[in-house]
Amino acid sequence: MRIVGGKEVVEVTEQLEQSYDVVVAGGGAAGLNGALMLVRARRTVAVIDAGQPRNAPADGVHGLLARDGMPPTELLERGRTEVRGYGGHVVTGEIVAATRDENGFTVTLADGRTVHARRLLAATGLTDELPEIPGLSERWGRDVVHCPYCHGWEVRDRAIAVLSRGPISMHQVQLFRQLSDDIVFFTHDQPEPTPEDAERLAARGIRVVSGTVTGIEVADDRITGLRLADGTVVAREVVALGTRMVARSGFLSSLGLEAADHPFGEYIPCDATGRTEVPGVWVAGNLTDLAAQVGAAAAAGATAGAHINADLVQEEFDTAVAARRAGFSAPAEARLAESVNGARGHGL
């Protein structure tokens, strides 16, 4: 930041310094909020962002107090501006590897740049893996949705198809029934509902359609139906389904940190503060909490940032104490040596 005409001006740079207190991998809500906590604690921070936010296809962020409906790109741009306003760097790039050294970590970017960090905060999010049904992925985040809390209000009272992906889909179909009276449950490639589940669906007027879904019908840039293997088309306006959520954790494997299996996909385990089993590495957001919405991801980033700063503070005090003790012991050793040499000079 610099002063121009008596006003503070935030300088935007894509240049990386050689070293920082903390490098944050990922510039979504979790990464930026973690960075914000750290720069406000006067830490030097670089956020390295590949520019691939999970919620990019969505029109707006929902369920976030005071920011409901804000376009995801606007929310992130405001976050970048805030981090930069405190002197943090937000740089475009992708981290492909990280190695440990005696003073922290050396991080390597895809373009060959390297940067050193005392601590790492990984907030690279996750990838949603959708079924391979023609036309499905093109509608993702628009009229193909997954979360009733993220998109439910926007699809209320419409003709909704819930596509079964396994046992969790029974929970999902019941949630979407809260939003519309017109729900059809497609078994697709999954088993038929159990008798108990079938009774629950029937009690709420939810029709079950068997058979594999082979395509999405679209007209005038909107979904009009689901096509089955036998050629039948069931009229629908919205498709709801669960995705397989896979942590974007590639570069962490070079530190020995591997993703663990989860009923919904894969995630990076950590404690309540975001600390992982690898010393000096924290994680936050969807990388570790697959179900976290934007608000929860941002809160986790803030928590991780605070604990990273506390960890650095502890290290700095430990180092200062060690240096102080060394400073006291050195003169004492010198006086002892002088005394011994003096005694020898007197023939003692």
Side-chain angles (χ1 to χ4, degrees):
M1 184 183 295
R2 58 194 178 93
I3 306 299
V4 177
K7 295 182 178 180
E8 294 180 342
V9 177
V10 176
E11 295 182 339
V12 178
T13 177
E14 286 288 319
Q15 182 177 353
L16 275 174
E17 303 292 342
Q18 290 185 336
S19 118
Y20 295 86
D21 290 326
V22 184
V23 164
V24 178
L32 288 173
N33 218 40
L36 184 63
M37 293 291 284
L38 287 158
V39 292
R40 282 179 52 81
R42 308 192 73 177
R43 295 297 176 187
T44 57
V45 178
V47 178
I48 301 175
D49 182 30
Q52 299 173 343
R54 179 193 185 195
N55 61 358
D59 290 332
V61 172
H62 296 291
L64 183 62
L65 189 65
R67 290 293 181 265
D68 189 74
M70 176 178 285
T73 52
E74 181 181 346
L75 182 71
L76 296 183
E77 187 53 44
R78 289 192 182 195
R80 287 190 286 265
T81 298
E82 289 173 354
V83 171
R84 286 168 172 154
Y86 289 100
H89 291 173
V90 183
V91 178
T92 302
E94 181 182 0
I95 298 175
V96 294
T99 56
R100 180 183 294 281
D101 57 49
E102 60 181 8
N103 296 314
F105 305 90
T106 297
V107 172
T108 302
L109 277 61
D111 59 13
R113 288 180 292 174
T114 61
V115 59
H116 188 269
R118 296 169 63 191
R119 301 290 187 275
L120 293 179
L121 171 57
T124 43
L126 61 81
T127 298
D128 289 288
E129 295 183 351
L130 279 70
E132 293 184 3
I133 298 174
L136 192 70
S137 61
E138 292 84 352
R139 311 299 304 178
W140 177 242
R142 302 164 65 190
D143 40 17
V144 174
V145 300
H146 74 295
C147 173
Y149 302 105
C150 303
H151 316 285
W153 177 263
E154 285 65 40
V155 303
R156 70 195 185 282
D157 298 327
R158 299 175 68 184
I160 301 174
V162 177
L163 190 68
S164 180
R165 300 300 306 284
I168 190 63
S169 293
M170 265 303 296
H171 175 64
Q172 187 179 44
V173 73
Q174 291 177 80
L175 291 177
F176 273 94
R177 178 59 180 82
Q178 171 73 16
L179 301 162
S180 173
D181 295 336
D182 190 358
I183 305 289
V184 175
F185 186 60
F186 290 77
T187 61
H188 186 42
D189 57 2
Q190 298 296 312
E192 294 291 314
T194 66
E196 180 183 354
D197 287 341
E199 182 182 28
R200 294 180 69 80
L201 295 172
R204 291 286 278 157
I206 298 171
R207 182 160 64 102
V208 177
V209 172
S210 302
T212 303
V213 176
T214 58
I216 306 298
E217 297 289 313
V218 177
D220 298 326
D221 195 31
R222 62 185 180 85
I223 290 177
T224 59
L226 276 66
R227 186 173 62 256
L228 302 178
D230 65 3
T232 302
V233 174
V234 181
R236 295 287 90 189
E237 299 174 286
V238 176
V239 178
L241 76 162
T243 65
R244 183 172 187 271
M245 297 176 280
V246 180
R248 295 173 179 164
S249 59
F251 83 93
L252 294 174
S253 63
S254 59
L255 294 171
L257 194 57
E258 300 290 346
D261 289 334
H262 185 282
F264 298 159
E266 296 178 358
Y267 76 112
I268 298 296
C270 66
D271 70 9
T273 73
R275 189 192 299 263
T276 71
E277 62 183 18
V278 175
V281 180
W282 273 256
V283 293
N286 287 146
L287 185 65
T288 184
D289 183 357
L290 301 182
Q293 293 179 266
V294 172
T303 297
H307 282 271
I308 290 170
N309 181 61
D311 191 53
L312 288 169
V313 167
Q314 182 69 35
E315 178 182 85
E316 288 158 357
F317 269 82
D318 289 346
T319 300
V321 168
R324 187 171 187 269
R325 290 174 178 173
F328 280 135
S329 64
E333 291 172 356
R335 287 194 299 272
L336 177 61
E338 182 180 348
S339 175
V340 170
N341 289 335
R344 285 174 180 170
H346 286 88
L348 298 178

